[in-house]
Amino acid sequence: MTKPIPGFSKLSKEQKIDRIASQYTKNPDRTREVLRNYWNTDKKLQKLHDEFIENTITNLYLPLGIAPGFLINSKPYAIPMAIEESSVVAAASKAAKFWFDKGGFKAEVLGTEKVGQVHFIYKGDVDKLKKFIETITPKFRSDTETLTQNMSKRGGGISTIQLRDQTEKLHNYYQLHCTFETMDAMGANFINSCLEQLAATLKREALEYVEFSDIEKEIEVVMSILSNYVPNCLVRAEVSCPVNELRIPSEISPKDFARKMVRAIEIAKIEPYRAVTHNKGIMNGIDAVILATGNDFRAVEAGIHAYASKNGSYGSLTHAEIENDIFRFWIEIPLALGTVGGLTKLHPLVKLNLEILGKPTAMELMQIVAVAGLAQNFAAVSSLVTTGIQKGHMKMHLLNILNQLEANDEEKKTLTKHFKARVVTHNGVLNALETLRNG
Ligand code: MEV
């Protein structure tokens, strides 16, 4: 059995690689070579990446693609997407093209409120606690002033500080439930710093509060942390058109297509097995833009899936209806994003992607991301209710199969042509390649 490596983080990068290569891999020389192949030749750039995290040994690349031709609130966009799944960028581009001449996408930010909480235990009289919090609220404000100064200048800061009694759910458990505006920053550091100060003020003031008994003075702060659930940091994106304009390259009539789309959404609303996959398809678009713009996809994922369960069971993030012969298709999701701070200035590609997007504000980026999710869902569900997903998916996957089989450029060209009008399967490609190679 391999043993843990003591003091690993103190080793140099070369030493770390040597240790991992010899202790965990069968062919250490090959391991070193693979890792080095992914280093950037620009040493300064590599150092930047090395310093993003601890114990960096190399970089893991993802393709960065562009989905062009998006019209959002009458403004054209080319959307950068970082993703490994073959069909995602093509699907986004297809949906963008479909909606472009129907007025494009309309998007609107419904709220920008972020949330953070100080979780604490108080063993005493609740009315006294309420009075105490009221009394010390000016102290909460003055103690956080140095932290909030800059954000206030930009129009943000701590919006509300509210005591929440959660004792019915957990014995003696209370929260300071706080809301924030963080403008163009995602705001995680700002919020967490504010919360830690609020927690310190809470404890300090409780010890000095004369109305409290000894036990009431001993407030136990369990933790202070932002919440990635931001149901009031919300964006909505929509497309609509007369039903008879829903003409897609398939046998199906626009009317039947519209009805099937609505039916598919209804199913995803009430059936969690379908909803998870339906929303996964939406996240294909969302995560790809989140990654390309240096935002935190884990935070976004967690918040969005919680929102998808807000009514008590997990359901679709998108909605569709036909009313007065108009087909409407929309998405509503919480998104806490930043276009300043974090990786946005540090990572040259993130910086470039934001430039390609026209240097959006956080609110604009929320709209772009929501549109990418909606476009992806439109593309996926429209395939599902017509041709099925595999036709397009396997077509896009063809190159991956050919690469796996080590086909050369000429073979790839010939077989791409060959499979244009044929169903792509792994075996089918293998056989076709063998036939080609055997003349
Ligand atoms: C595949 O990555 C995503 C889909 O499964 C989404 C869906 O089923 O709606 C095609």
Side-chain angles (χ1 to χ4, degrees):
M1 213 176 63
T2 46
K3 291 200 193 95
I5 307 175
F8 187 75
S9 68
K10 307 272 179 319
L11 302 178
S12 70
K13 185 167 159 184
E14 293 284 351
Q15 287 168 329
K16 281 174 193 152
I17 290 174
D18 283 345
R19 294 295 291 270
I20 294 298
S22 56
Q23 203 165 329
Y24 291 93
T25 70
K26 284 212 176 75
N27 184 344
D29 286 339
R30 173 82 190 123
T31 302
R32 282 188 205 98
E33 191 193 328
V34 172
L35 292 174
R36 283 205 189 108
N37 278 345
Y38 284 89
W39 287 0
N40 201 296
T41 46
D42 177 341
K43 288 218 169 81
K44 212 166 135 211
L45 197 58
Q46 186 52 54
K47 189 156 185 292
L48 180 74
H49 283 74
D50 286 352
E51 289 175 358
F52 282 147
I53 61 165
E54 179 148 292
N55 298 342
T56 309
I57 52 173
T58 193
N59 312 303
L60 180 77
Y61 294 171
L62 276 184
L64 175 71
I66 293 280
F70 272 93
L71 194 64
I72 306 175
N73 295 339
S74 308
K75 197 170 153 188
Y77 289 90
I79 303 187
M81 303 178 92
I83 188 144
E84 85 301 343
E85 192 173 322
S86 358
S87 52
V88 170
V89 177
S93 313
K94 205 169 135 194
K97 193 165 164 217
F98 182 85
W99 287 104
F100 195 94
D101 56 6
K102 295 175 184 63
F105 293 79
K106 304 274 174 285
E108 182 190 3
V109 171
L110 305 176
T112 53
E113 179 187 279
K114 314 273 169 62
V115 177
Q117 297 172 317
V118 177
H119 305 267
F120 67 94
I121 303 295
Y122 164 80
K123 296 175 191 155
D125 180 64
V126 62
D127 290 325
K128 271 205 228 169
L129 179 65
K130 281 183 190 157
K131 180 102 187 297
F132 165 69
I133 296 294
E134 235 178 80
T135 312
I136 67 160
T137 293
K139 289 247 160 59
F140 283 148
R141 295 280 172 190
S142 54
D143 285 359
T144 48
E145 218 159 61
T146 46
L147 295 168
T148 56
Q149 239 164 30
N150 277 343
M151 193 58 91
S152 300
K153 277 190 207 140
R154 283 147 55 193
I158 305 175
S159 312
T160 60
I161 304 168
Q162 188 196 16
L163 173 70
R164 286 198 175 172
D165 181 346
Q166 299 283 20
T167 51
E168 280 193 5
K169 293 182 197 153
L170 189 67
H171 200 45
N172 297 330
Y173 168 44
Y174 295 87
Q175 302 162 343
L176 286 181
H177 183 93
C178 310
T179 59
F180 301 81
E181 286 297 332
T182 61
M183 312 317 284
D184 285 331
M186 190 259 190
N189 282 330
F190 169 73
I191 294 173
N192 288 334
S193 300
C194 289
L195 291 169
E196 288 186 7
Q197 180 55 58
L198 293 176
T201 303
L202 178 74
K203 277 187 72 118
R204 185 195 69 214
E205 292 299 318
L207 287 173
E208 285 167 15
Y209 193 57
V210 288
E211 309 280 324
F212 276 165
S213 66
D214 283 352
I215 196 147
E216 286 167 338
K217 283 180 197 286
E218 293 298 326
I219 282 181
E220 181 200 338
V221 171
V222 182
M223 59 194 156
S224 313
I225 187 74
L226 95 169
S227 172
N228 291 123
Y229 186 47
V230 282
N232 295 323
C233 191
L234 206 60
V235 58
R236 179 193 162 97
E238 173 179 325
V239 282
S240 65
C241 73
V243 167
N244 61 13
E245 284 181 22
L246 273 182
R247 254 169 267 111
I248 57 158
S250 169
E251 308 283 277
I252 193 167
S253 75
K255 201 167 162 198
D256 282 346
F257 175 57
R259 274 194 317 101
K260 273 193 146 185
M261 287 293 289
V262 172
R263 189 68 86 214
I265 304 292
E266 281 168 358
I267 291 170
K269 282 191 180 185
I270 55 111
E271 167 53 63
Y273 279 94
R274 172 57 200 147
V276 170
T277 317
H278 178 93
N279 290 347
K280 186 272 180 189
I282 295 172
M283 298 316 291
N284 279 344
I286 291 179
D287 280 342
V289 188
I290 297 291
L291 269 171
T293 56
N295 275 279
D296 180 342
F297 61 91
R298 288 85 57 208
V300 166
E301 284 273 355
I304 287 185
H305 294 300
Y307 192 75
S309 323
K310 69 180 191 309
N311 298 328
S313 84
Y314 189 88
S316 168
L317 293 161
T318 51
H319 314 269
E321 67 176 23
I322 303 166
E323 227 182 77
N324 301 328
D325 275 336
I326 302 287
F327 171 77
R328 272 191 343 117
F329 183 54
W330 71 100
I331 188 168
E332 202 179 276
I333 41 167
L335 279 174
L337 304 182
T339 53
V340 298
L343 277 192
T344 55
K345 283 242 154 38
L346 268 184
H347 197 300
L349 269 177
V350 165
K351 226 167 121 184
L352 182 66
N353 289 335
L354 287 168
E355 190 185 334
I356 292 172
L357 285 173
K359 301 204 174 134
T361 60
M363 280 167 74
E364 280 163 346
L365 186 59
M366 286 166 77
Q367 297 175 359
I368 295 165
V369 170
V371 164
L374 185 67
Q376 209 62 45
N377 188 235
F378 179 79
V381 179
S382 54
S383 292
L384 286 170
V385 300
T386 54
T387 55
I389 206 75
Q390 281 310 86
K391 195 170 160 223
H393 191 78
M394 290 308 283
K395 220 147 237 139
M396 295 305 300
H397 195 53
L398 175 61
L399 267 186
N400 287 345
I401 302 176
L402 287 169
N403 281 332
Q404 255 173 40
L405 300 173
E406 297 181 356
N408 63 32
D409 284 350
E410 201 49 45
E411 289 167 340
K412 281 185 208 167
K413 213 166 130 192
T414 311
L415 290 178
T416 305
K417 218 163 159 193
H418 173 83
F419 278 102
K420 228 179 177 97
R422 288 180 173 82
V423 178
V424 177
T425 63
H426 191 93
N427 262 351
V429 179
L430 183 66
N431 291 339
L433 185 61
E434 270 172 11
T435 311
L436 184 69
R437 282 180 178 167
N438 297 332

